Amino acid sequence: MGKAIKAGAKKKKTEITPYLFIAPQIILFIVFFLVPACMGIYAAFTRWNILSNELPTFVGLDNFKEIFLNTESTYYKFFRAGFKNTVTFVLLSVPFCIVLPLLMALAINKKPWGHKFFQSLFYMPTVLSISTVILIWYYMFNKNLGLINNLFHLKVNWVGAQPYAWFAIVIVTIWWTIGQNLVIYLAALNGVSQDLLEAAEVDGAGPARKFFNIMIPSIRNQLAYTFVLTTVAQFNIYGQPLMLTGGGPNNSTNVLLMVIRDLAFPSYGGNSISGLASAMALVMGSLMIVIALLQYRFIGERE
Amino acid sequence: MKKKIDYMKILAFVFCVILALVWIAPLTQSLSTSLKSEKEIKMSGFSYFPAEITFDSYKDLFSTKSASTPILKWFWNSLVTSSLFTVLVLIISSTSAFAYARMKFKGRDLLFSILMATMVFPSVINLIPTYKIVAGMHLLNTKWALVLPGVSGAFNIFLIKQFMMGIPKELDEAAKIDGASWFQIYLRIIVPLCAPVLIVVGMFAFTGSWNDFLWPTLVMSNVDKMTITPGMQILKGTYDVYPSHAMAGGIVSVIPTFVLFLFAQKYFIKGMQLQSAVKG
């Protein structure tokens, strides 16, 4: 009898214990991820001022009509410009953020003198914050006092004129982020079969053929991963234009996340237009998911 | 044949050196500028090195004169916030990963798949509602507003779970025979064995929290409660025409993550590669 009770108690205990282990995470996950995710999707179909206590009013597809179809609306113009600027940045920066670290990885993989130091140095900026990075680079780009203009005897207005403003933003982004892709490629190149490379060499393959026919196919998975990760990360661009160019000149670097932020959290008081901002966020987020899936598929198919 | 390999090696070295100069220049230039006096910059313009080294800008920033940019307060706030965040992430994700990796329970695989599927969800959609929730809980301008929304991240659980699955199950069974509870197994056996992955997760949690930029600008309007990363934006505005002060602030703000990186770069790089290996 006593034994049976004990066994029963033990069984009950083992059943509840796993849930106690996962409970803290699940609770926080529901409150700070699941609920806001659902709210975010719903909010896109509402009119909502989150700085007030009003509940969101359901308005159907009005927000989407406003930003996609109402050519008279200022929000249409904001969205269009922000979208165009974000996509411009993605197209300008992603190729560099893939090709340059790949070249660097090839160089470091040759194990030149000091290669460990180079790897650490190139990776280091990724642990810095965007605001510190911009603070430092803003001064590098300073027209009169900056290192770049003085070193090359230029008089370029880097942050206040196009196309230099985009150059500046892309340069900073490269410096800040490519260490991540670099270390991923380095690990991948380490795994390339030495036997294959040597066999190719015996057959008379040059460095270019070895690179395109052996190395690239061997690191295809990591290339796909970094391609998706980099593209998605670049869609989230915010700090670089905010602090470097202020979205200028003439709003030409005012990216979508800045538009969304300004509409939902107006800096000089005013009404929060969170419903519209949520609609923009939903469009941006959906596009990011679609692009990630397409890229995986595209790269998977070439196998 | 051998000569050709050496030639490529030299080319690689030259390429690395040129890039290294580009990588170092912003850091040395900001350090050098922070050690100049504002007067020197105004009088003689650009120079690579200070004519006379002075710590005046640092002293000004640390003094009570700079009430609009209380950098030491920001630094302290960041240290508290990021440490708290790191500890919570480690506790919450390791207990959770322990259950998924080592225990059997109803709904385990379904729950875990749901968690994993949410990793692709773009955070931009959550941004506005999360603010509303945090505001509704009266957490604005508290460190909890910075800490709580990020601690339940699914990816950390995934990393730790993968590591825990590599530990032999016999250890749990042996401990159970000795009368150990699940909690004792977790704390005494599994956590110590998971130290490498916990260090990686902890370091990424700390630097991630330290470097958080957009979110703190939304939930922390009180300058004295601000953390240092959004603080740098205020600093940049305040000292726009005082480069030495601005650069001194920048140098101070990079110290913790930079030092962490110097001592633990191996883990950072391993962590990055681990992430690409499991996701790729």
Side-chain angles (χ1 to χ4, degrees):
Chain A
M1 179 75 181
K3 217 173 183 182
I5 290 171
K6 232 183 185 173
K10 202 178 170 193
K11 204 177 169 203
K12 206 175 177 191
K13 198 179 162 198
T14 47
E15 258 173 25
I16 202 164
T17 323
Y19 299 103
L20 290 178
F21 272 96
I22 60 170
Q25 194 270 341
I26 294 284
I27 292 167
L28 286 164
F29 183 77
I30 291 170
V31 176
F32 292 105
F33 177 84
L34 221 52
V35 172
C38 297
M39 277 169 83
I41 294 168
Y42 174 69
F45 303 92
T46 65
R47 197 180 310 114
W48 190 24
N49 177 353
I50 59 160
L51 303 180
S52 77
N53 286 324
E54 292 158 34
L55 288 172
T57 324
F58 188 77
V59 294
L61 291 171
D62 281 6
N63 291 330
F64 295 96
K65 282 185 199 148
E66 182 87 4
I67 59 175
F68 281 118
L69 302 173
N70 187 356
T71 50
E72 302 290 300
S73 157
T74 43
Y75 302 125
Y76 170 86
K77 285 167 195 151
F78 281 155
F79 176 70
R80 213 183 138 90
F83 189 78
K84 190 184 128 228
N85 294 335
T86 294
V87 171
T88 305
F89 172 74
V90 171
L91 294 177
L92 285 176
S93 63
V94 170
F96 287 108
C97 293
I98 302 291
V99 174
L100 194 58
L102 191 56
L103 289 176
M104 289 156 81
L106 285 173
I108 292 175
N109 200 41
K110 283 271 166 217
K111 306 261 185 303
W113 190 80
H115 61 96
K116 286 251 163 66
F117 168 76
F118 290 128
Q119 178 187 335
S120 301
L121 177 67
F122 298 147
Y123 183 77
M124 190 274 300
T126 63
V127 306
L128 308 181
S129 72
I130 183 61
S131 56
T132 303
V133 167
I134 298 294
L135 187 77
I136 290 171
W137 275 92
Y138 184 70
Y139 190 59
M140 292 285 284
F141 286 122
N142 188 297
K143 196 174 167 194
N144 300 313
L145 296 170
L147 179 75
I148 297 174
N149 277 357
N150 280 288
L151 187 62
F152 299 107
H153 302 287
L154 303 170
K155 278 280 162 216
V156 171
N157 179 5
W158 286 97
V159 297
Q162 288 292 17
Y164 305 107
W166 276 129
F167 291 167
I169 289 172
V170 171
I171 290 170
V172 171
T173 306
I174 289 171
W175 186 85
W176 183 41
T177 61
I178 64 171
Q180 289 189 350
N181 288 351
L182 171 67
V183 297
I184 292 170
Y185 296 149
L186 272 174
L189 287 178
N190 247 332
V192 175
S193 152
Q194 287 302 314
D195 291 351
L196 263 181
L197 289 174
E198 274 162 29
E201 213 160 279
V202 171
D203 289 345
R209 274 197 57 195
K210 274 195 290 182
F211 176 68
F212 285 109
N213 293 347
I214 299 173
M215 286 184 165
I216 292 280
S218 310
I219 65 169
R220 201 190 53 241
N221 280 342
Q222 286 86 349
L223 279 175
Y225 169 73
T226 52
F227 200 44
V228 173
L229 195 79
T230 308
T231 311
V232 169
Q234 310 302 40
F235 261 96
N236 281 318
I237 182 179
Y238 175 73
Q240 294 95 310
L242 180 78
M243 282 182 65
L244 202 58
T245 61
N250 292 322
N251 286 332
S252 59
T253 58
N254 200 40
V255 294
L256 195 52
L257 200 48
M258 288 167 74
V259 174
I260 292 170
R261 194 235 140 109
D262 285 345
L263 289 177
F265 306 93
S267 26
Y268 304 105
N271 279 333
S272 155
I273 305 142
S274 304
L276 258 172
S278 297
M280 293 181 187
L282 188 60
V283 171
M284 177 175 156
S286 311
L287 187 72
M288 283 160 70
I289 294 178
V290 169
I291 287 175
L293 292 178
L294 278 180
Q295 284 180 337
Y296 265 128
R297 213 194 149 111
F298 173 69
I299 296 159
E301 267 173 9
R302 283 204 313 195
E303 194 173 334
Chain B
M1 197 71 209
K2 195 154 190 216
K3 214 173 176 184
K4 197 184 160 201
I5 291 168
D6 280 346
Y7 173 74
M8 288 298 278
K9 215 173 196 170
I10 292 166
L11 196 73
F13 180 70
V14 172
F15 180 64
C16 286
V17 168
I18 292 169
L19 284 172
L21 290 174
V22 179
W23 252 248
I24 291 172
L27 301 170
T28 51
Q29 190 59 23
S30 52
L31 183 64
S32 145
T33 305
S34 75
L35 297 173
K36 292 175 185 173
S37 65
E38 298 292 356
K39 210 172 130 199
E40 185 193 329
I41 299 171
K42 287 226 168 59
M43 303 290 280
S44 34
F46 174 81
S47 66
Y48 291 98
F49 300 104
E52 200 181 333
I53 290 179
T54 162
F55 292 94
D56 287 354
S57 301
Y58 291 91
K59 281 181 207 152
D60 284 354
L61 279 182
F62 295 159
S63 75
T64 46
K65 276 188 286 179
S66 56
S68 62
T69 56
I71 192 165
L72 288 181
K73 250 181 216 161
W74 292 341
F75 195 95
W76 175 248
N77 294 341
S78 277
L79 215 53
V80 172
T81 306
S82 300
S83 305
L84 182 66
F85 181 78
T86 307
V87 170
L88 284 178
V89 162
L90 286 175
I91 295 172
I92 288 168
S93 25
S94 68
T95 48
S96 172
F98 177 75
Y100 291 117
R102 320 281 301 181
M103 298 164 106
K104 282 205 184 94
F105 56 95
K106 223 176 159 188
R108 180 187 70 179
D109 296 340
L110 179 69
L111 267 176
F112 191 72
S113 328
I114 294 173
L115 272 186
M116 290 304 105
T118 58
M119 284 200 298
V120 295
F121 196 82
S123 57
V124 62
I125 298 174
N126 295 28
L127 188 70
I128 299 167
T130 308
Y131 173 88
K132 191 71 190 172
I133 291 171
V134 167
M137 297 169 112
H138 303 286
L139 294 177
L140 293 180
N141 281 311
T142 70
K143 58 180 171 299
W144 298 107
L146 302 177
V147 168
L148 289 179
V151 288
S152 61
F155 188 58
N156 294 325
I157 299 173
F158 178 68
L159 274 185
I160 301 172
K161 183 198 166 216
Q162 288 298 103
F163 197 93
M164 283 180 176
M165 301 223 294
I167 301 169
K169 279 264 189 319
E170 289 78 26
L171 285 178
D172 299 6
E173 278 146 31
K176 256 184 266 172
I177 290 166
D178 289 348
S181 69
W182 277 110
F183 185 73
Q184 284 168 324
I185 297 171
Y186 159 77
L187 198 65
R188 301 261 168 80
I189 301 172
I190 303 299
V191 165
L193 286 171
C194 284
V197 74
L198 293 178
I199 292 173
V200 168
V201 167
M203 281 186 331
F204 278 96
F206 187 89
T207 45
S209 167
W210 186 278
N211 292 338
D212 203 6
F213 178 57
L214 169 58
W215 180 245
T217 62
L218 300 182
V219 292
M220 308 302 269
S221 51
N222 182 339
V223 165
D224 285 336
K225 302 213 165 140
M226 194 80 94
T227 48
I228 199 156
T229 295
M232 285 299 109
Q233 193 189 358
I234 300 173
L235 189 93
K236 178 176 166 284
T238 310
Y239 294 106
D240 196 22
V241 291
Y242 299 99
S244 173
H245 286 74
M247 293 304 118
I251 296 291
V252 172
S253 78
V254 304
I255 291 171
T257 51
F258 188 75
V259 169
L260 194 63
F261 176 72
L262 278 189
F263 286 103
Q265 47 172 302
K266 191 179 80 187
Y267 288 105
F268 273 103
I269 289 168
K270 267 272 160 308
M272 233 16 256
Q273 293 168 344
L274 197 65
Q275 292 177 19
S276 78
V278 291
K279 273 191 180 174

